[in-house]
Each structure stands twice: as C-alpha cells, then as structure tokens.
Amino acid sequence: MMKVKHPKKRNYRQRAHSNPLSDHSFDYPVSPGTMDWSKLYPRFKQGDEVKFCDVGCGYGGLLVTLSPMYPDKFMVGFEIRVKVSDYVNDRFLALRQDDEVYHNAGVIRTNAMKYLPNFFRKGQLEKIFILYPDPHFKKCKHKWRIVSEGLLAEYAHVLQVDGLVYTVSDVKEVHDWMVEHFSNFPLFERYEPPEEDRAAQVLIGSTEEGKKVLRNKGQSWTAIFRRVDDPYLVSRGAS
C-alpha cells in the first residue's frame, strides 16, 4: 500500500470564514440510524457510537490531542470548509500509518448549524467542543454565530444529561455572548470541571488558533456548561 504523506497546510489554504447559511452542497444522513460511521473509522464495529464532537474543528488540532487521551472514545470533527476538512482527513490517514492511535478520530465536511441532528440521536454525545468560533462581529451577522438559542436546543438534544459543552474564545465579546446564551438556556448550567477532566486541560494549547493566541501573548476565555435534566419533565415526575 502506498504510504500517505503528512499533509502541509500551505496546500490546503482557504479563506478563514464561510457563510454557514449559504446553500453549500453536503452529503448527510437522513437520520442518525442511517449514518455509516465505519467509512470514517476503520475499527468501528456494530454497537459503537461517536461520543465527542468538535464543532468547527479547523485543522484538527484538538482531535489529534484528544484521540490518544481517550482511545476508547470515537470522536468527530465537523468542518464546513472543504479544503480544511480535506487536510484533517489526510492528516488522520497519515497519522494512522505511524501509530496505533488516531483510529478513533475523523472529520466530516458538513454544516453543524443545519445537520447536527441528522448525525446524532438524542442523548448520544458526551462532549461537544466549540473552540475559537468565528466571531462574526457585525450585528447583522450575529445570526451566523454557532451559539444561538435555536442551536442550543439542538446541542441539548444530542448531548446526554450531565454531558459537557466546552467553549473557548479569544474575543471577550464572543465569550460573553456564549456565556449569556448558555446560562439563560434552561437545559444548561455553568460548570467548573474537576482537575481530573483531561479535556478541559488541553482546550487552549491544542488547537492551531489557540497556539497562535499563545504565541502572540493574547488572552483566551474558557467556559464549560453541563447538560441538565429538563426542568419541565422533572416537575412532572414529581407531581
């Protein structure tokens, strides 16, 4: 078999931002039960499920870090930009040749704002990562942001109770936006992770964007949220 070379970013360059509301062409399952994950993971077998999702995974730095840390968890990155998702896919193909790990990580070119429930059943995910999302500074483009009231309902749908959403931004206004929206949504609460939460320890230094912020001696703001029981269902159960 021909050896896959490690990809070079300069061959996969693409504009930093993409309009998530445009009519891109994507392949996606009509429902979670019709998704064939074995095409993405060479060791995926019946009964396995994807448990981590990196929304807007960029060049895949977080997944490369998490894969050996959680070898028994299948994880996927969603990336809307075609060349960037191609880079991440080629990156994992090359890494799998050199190491026994990385067989549990993969990438899908898709739009999480539109198709998240097509890939995951209710309560399937344990962790969702939203790291350094596009800030979309202009007020008229706030509807493009990956955190909104409507999207929070979808995150809550695919995340199991006690599952976690990890957020990081180097833009204070975007950080405050995410904190406000998650804190005001009834199915999430702000969460302080214990020291043994290994994922929380690598949020900033693992992504390419986070490394750039560190090199420039910038600041990043982190917030983590826990999925809680539906208060309406809890109150009905108590009545």
Side-chain angles (χ1 to χ4, degrees), residues 54-164:
D54 184 6
V55 177
C57 68
Y59 289 93
L62 178 68
L63 295 171
V64 170
T65 300
L66 292 179
S67 175
M69 292 172 58
Y70 298 90
D72 60 335
K73 301 289 185 183
F74 285 99
M75 56 192 72
V76 67
F78 281 179
E79 174 57 49
I80 196 171
R81 295 167 294 173
V82 60
K83 290 185 179 179
V84 178
S85 60
D86 286 346
Y87 170 86
V88 179
N89 184 65
D90 292 345
R91 186 178 188 181
F92 280 119
L93 290 177
L95 286 169
R96 289 169 183 171
Q97 295 176 136
D98 303 332
D99 206 308
E100 273 300 303
V101 295
Y102 306 113
H103 292 273
N104 61 329
V107 64
I108 294 176
R109 180 181 177 251
T110 192
N111 186 345
M113 291 181 67
K114 293 184 177 181
Y115 305 119
L116 195 71
N118 292 77
F119 289 93
F120 307 117
R121 63 170 178 80
K122 181 178 180 180
Q124 177 175 333
L125 296 178
E126 296 176 2
K127 298 181 186 294
I128 294 175
F129 300 89
I130 304 174
L131 309 188
Y132 300 98
D134 290 343
H136 298 302
F137 289 109
K138 294 181 180 179
K139 188 173 182 180
C140 64
K141 292 186 177 181
H142 284 182
K143 61 182 179 291
W144 291 11
R145 287 182 172 177
I146 197 63
V147 171
S148 65
E149 186 173 350
L151 288 172
L152 289 180
E154 295 196 354
Y155 297 145
H157 175 78
V158 300
L159 195 64
Q160 67 183 36
V161 173
D162 291 329
L164 300 176

Side-chain angles (χ1 to χ4, degrees), residues 33-44:
T34 63
M35 177 62 188
D36 184 4
W37 292 102
S38 64
K39 294 180 179 179
L40 197 62
Y41 307 103
R43 300 181 181 178
F44 197 90

